[in-house]
Amino acid sequence: MPLGLLKYGLSSEYPLEVDFPPPKALKSSYDVVIIGGGGHGLATAYYLSKYHGITNIAVLDKSYLGGGNTARNTAVIRSNYLTSEGVKFYSESVKLFKNLSNEFDFNIMYSERGQLTLAHTDSTVRAFRQRAEVNKHFGGRTEMLDRQQIKELVPCLNLDPAHLPVLAGLWHIDGATARHDAVAWGYAKEAVKRGVEIHQLTEVQDFVLDGNKIKAIKTNRGTIQCGCAVQAIAGASSILMNKLAIRAPIHTFPLQAMVSQPFKPFLTPLVSSSALHCYVQQTSRGEIVFGGGSDPYPLYNTRSTLDLKESLLAHAIEMFPFMANVKLMRQWAGITDMTPDYSPIMGKSQYDNYYLDAGWGTWGFKATPICGQTMAELVATGKTPKLIAPFALERFSKFQQVNEMGATAASH
Ligand SMILES: Cc1cc2nc3c(=O)[nH]c(=O)nc-3n(C[C@H](O)[C@H](O)[C@H](O)COP(=O)(O)OP(=O)(O)OC[C@H]3O[C@@H](n4cnc5c(N)ncnc54)[C@H](O)[C@@H]3O)c2cc1C
C-alpha cells in the first residue's frame, strides 16, 4: 500500500499538501514542449524527468489536465492482443501499471479482476484460440473457457442471448482497471516535483518552421521556442498534423460510454462481447459501466446520443437480462482517432525534432505508462525503442500494418 495513502488516512488535515503549485508565466523557450496534458503527455514528461534528467519541459493543454479522453475512458487495462508486436507492447504497460501506486505514492486504484470476452461464432472461437496462444507465448495469462467454466465465473450472465448463444470465452487473468484521473494526476504530480511545468488553458495553434525543424510553437498565450516537441493530443491529432502537412490515415469518431446507479458488488470480471458490440463492468463504487464501439460516422463532438444508448443497452440486457430495470446516471463521449489497423502511431515524424504519439483510438489508456516511457526514451536519445518501432507512421506507406482490429473491437 502506498505510504502516502496511509498518511492521508490517518491525518486530520486536508489536503496534506498542494500537488500542483499555481502555474508560472510561460517561459520564452523550453528544451521539450509536450502538446497535450492527457495521460500520455504527462507520462512522457515524467519519464523524461525521471530517467533522462531532462526537466526544462512544458506540458501544454488547451483545456484542463487529463480532461480529454483520459478522463472519459472506461479504464480497461489488458494485453490480450492478437499480434506479437501488440502483445509485447501492452504487456509491458500492464507490468508498469501494477507498480504505479507505489511509484507515485498515490493510489491509482489498480484493480486486477480479469477480462472475459465472449465468442458467439466458430470463427471467433478460432481467433480466440490464436490470441490465447500468442499471449501465453509472451508470458500473458490468457486461456480459453467453455460454457460451464463461464457459468461458474459469471453466474448472472445469460449464455443464450437472443442474437447468438455463447460458445466459449477468452479469459484474460491480467485484465484490470485503474482510476483514470488518478493516473493523470499521479504522473503530473511526480513530473512537477522534478521541475516540469504544466500549463493548462494553453492551446497550440501553429508552428514556426526552420527548414526541417520546428523552431517555435504558437499558442494562445504567445510563441515559445523549443528544442523539440511531442504531440500527444489523441482525438485532435489530425488538426495539428494538418498544420505541418504530416499525412496520416486517421479518421476521427466520437466514442460514448455510460454508467448506472450503484449496486452491491455482483460482477468481478470485465465482460465483453464483440458480436453484441458491448462491454459491461462494475466499478469499485458499485456502478455498472457500459461501453461499446465508436459512433458510425466521423465527427468532432462529445455529445451523447439516444440511439447509442438504446442499441448498447439492448445488447447489455441480452447479456444480463436482470439489468432491464437499472437506472442510468450519466452518459458521455470522447473523441477518438482511429487508424486502419487499430494500432497506434508512435515515433518520429518527417521533422527532425517533432515526435508523434497519435492514433490511439479506443485503446490508449492501457498504454499510458509504456507509451510515456518509450516516447521519453525516443526524445532523449533520438533512437526509436524496439518496442515501438513497429508502430511508426511509415508502416502505412510500406504496407507493414499491425492489424489489431479483431482484438480491439468493443473490448477497448
Ligand atoms: C468513452 C471512451 C472509452 C475508452 N475506453 C478505453 C478503455 O477502456 N481502455 C483503453 O485503453 N482506452 C480507452 N479509451 C481510449 C483512451 O481514453 C485514449 O486512447 C487515451 O486516453 C489517450 O490518452 P492521451 O493522453 O493521448 O489523450 P487525451 O487524454 O485525450 O489528452 C490529449 C489532450 O490534448 C489536449 N489538446 C488537444 N489539442 C490541443 C492543442 N492544440 N493544444 C494543446 N492541447 C491540446 C486536450 O485538451 C487533451 O487534454 C476510451 C476512450 C473513450 C472516449
Side-chain angles (χ1 to χ4, degrees):
M1 177 186 286
L3 189 64
L5 185 63
L6 268 180
K7 276 201 305 206
Y8 185 85
L10 298 174
S11 167
S12 57
E13 284 169 34
Y14 175 83
L16 285 179
E17 61 188 36
V18 178
D19 285 335
F20 308 112
K24 302 176 189 165
L26 268 180
K27 290 195 296 203
S28 59
S29 158
Y30 293 90
D31 293 341
V32 182
V33 170
I34 296 177
I35 313 170
H40 286 218
L42 295 164
T44 305
Y46 165 71
Y47 290 111
L48 271 171
S49 61
K50 179 168 181 190
Y51 293 133
H52 304 283
I54 299 174
T55 54
N56 184 20
I57 302 173
V59 179
L60 311 180
D61 199 289
K62 70 174 180 186
S63 175
Y64 59 95
L65 186 152
N69 287 336
T70 296
R72 296 159 192 269
N73 79 82
T74 47
V76 176
I77 297 167
R78 64 187 178 94
S79 59
N80 58 347
Y81 280 79
L82 188 59
T83 66
S84 56
E85 296 89 341
V87 174
K88 280 193 236 171
F89 175 75
Y90 293 106
S91 298
E92 285 306 312
S93 212
V94 172
K95 279 187 209 157
L96 291 175
F97 255 118
K98 288 184 183 180
N99 193 41
L100 274 193
S101 291
N102 288 324
E103 200 164 337
F104 297 161
D105 200 9
F106 180 84
N107 193 3
I108 65 155
M109 297 174 76
Y110 185 79
S111 164
E112 186 176 289
R113 62 253 291 294
Q115 189 203 35
L116 174 68
T117 315
L118 305 173
H120 303 259
T121 64
D122 289 337
S123 60
T124 314
V125 174
R126 272 199 303 278
F128 280 9
R129 287 212 176 100
Q130 183 186 341
R131 277 172 69 182
E133 292 312 310
V134 175
N135 258 237
K136 279 187 232 164
H137 186 73
F138 293 107
R141 294 179 297 165
T142 305
E143 54 197 56
M144 294 297 293
L145 298 188
D146 61 23
R147 277 173 64 96
Q148 184 55 35
Q149 289 168 307
I150 295 174
K151 185 117 212 101
E152 284 160 19
L153 186 67
V154 190
C156 55
L157 178 69
N158 172 23
L159 290 183
D160 294 296
H163 269 79
L164 290 163
V166 173
L167 300 183
L170 186 71
W171 175 229
H172 181 46
I173 298 160
D174 297 316
T177 56
R179 178 139 189 231
H180 38 33
D181 329 70
V183 172
W185 297 333
Y187 277 121
K189 169 176 86 77
E190 292 300 307
V192 166
K193 223 194 251 175
R194 291 170 169 80
V196 171
E197 292 180 15
I198 298 173
H199 292 276
Q200 303 180 76
L201 300 175
T202 308
E203 181 176 13
V204 172
Q205 297 172 330
D206 213 339
F207 300 90
V208 181
L209 298 179
D210 178 10
N212 213 33
K213 282 192 156 192
I214 311 294
K215 188 176 160 202
I217 292 182
K218 294 183 182 174
T219 79
N220 59 331
R221 295 174 58 204
T223 299
I224 47 178
Q225 314 276 320
C226 64
C228 68
V230 179
Q231 167 185 320
I233 53 175
S237 303
S238 312
I239 297 173
L240 289 189
M241 282 174 162
N242 284 344
K243 303 236 179 240
L244 290 167
I246 299 173
R247 293 190 63 216
I250 287 176
H251 294 276
T252 303
F253 299 84
L255 176 65
Q256 303 187 45
M258 54 201 79
V259 78
S260 76
Q261 63 186 115
F263 292 91
K264 284 184 180 166
F266 69 91
L267 184 64
T268 305
L270 319 172
V271 181
S272 80
S273 158
S274 50
L276 294 175
H277 238 68
C278 179
Y279 61 91
V280 174
Q281 67 205 43
Q282 191 175 23
T283 69
S284 45
R285 277 193 299 219
E287 298 162 347
I288 311 168
V289 174
F290 301 97
S294 312
D295 284 4
Y297 35 79
L299 195 68
Y300 281 97
N301 198 313
T302 52
R303 86 280 177 265
S304 303
T305 62
L306 180 62
D307 61 334
L308 188 277
K309 188 171 358 199
E310 284 177 342
S311 60
L312 186 64
L313 295 181
H315 288 161
I317 291 167
E318 281 194 43
M319 292 203 269
F320 297 99
F322 65 91
M323 287 184 189
N325 294 322
V326 164
K327 290 189 174 56
L328 274 193
M329 299 243 292
R330 293 186 301 281
Q331 184 181 358
W332 67 92
I335 302 181
T336 59
D337 279 351
M338 303 298 287
T339 54
D341 59 1
Y342 286 61
S343 281
I345 296 168
M346 282 175 285
K348 298 180 179 178
S349 72
Q350 70 239 35
Y351 296 92
D352 295 343
N353 62 347
Y354 195 73
Y355 301 97
L356 301 171
D357 170 10
W360 280 106
T362 65
W363 54 84
F365 173 66
K366 69 180 72 58
T368 305
I370 193 61
C371 178
Q373 190 171 295
T374 48
M375 288 300 294
E377 187 181 334
L378 170 62
V379 171
T381 64
K383 293 192 190 116
T384 305
K386 258 196 196 152
L387 210 53
I388 61 169
F391 302 108
L393 178 59
E394 304 92 72
R395 75 177 184 276
F396 296 108
S397 50
K398 293 182 175 166
F399 299 102
Q400 290 171 344
Q401 281 88 334
V402 184
N403 192 351
E404 288 291 3
M405 187 175 181
T408 303
S411 299
H412 297 346

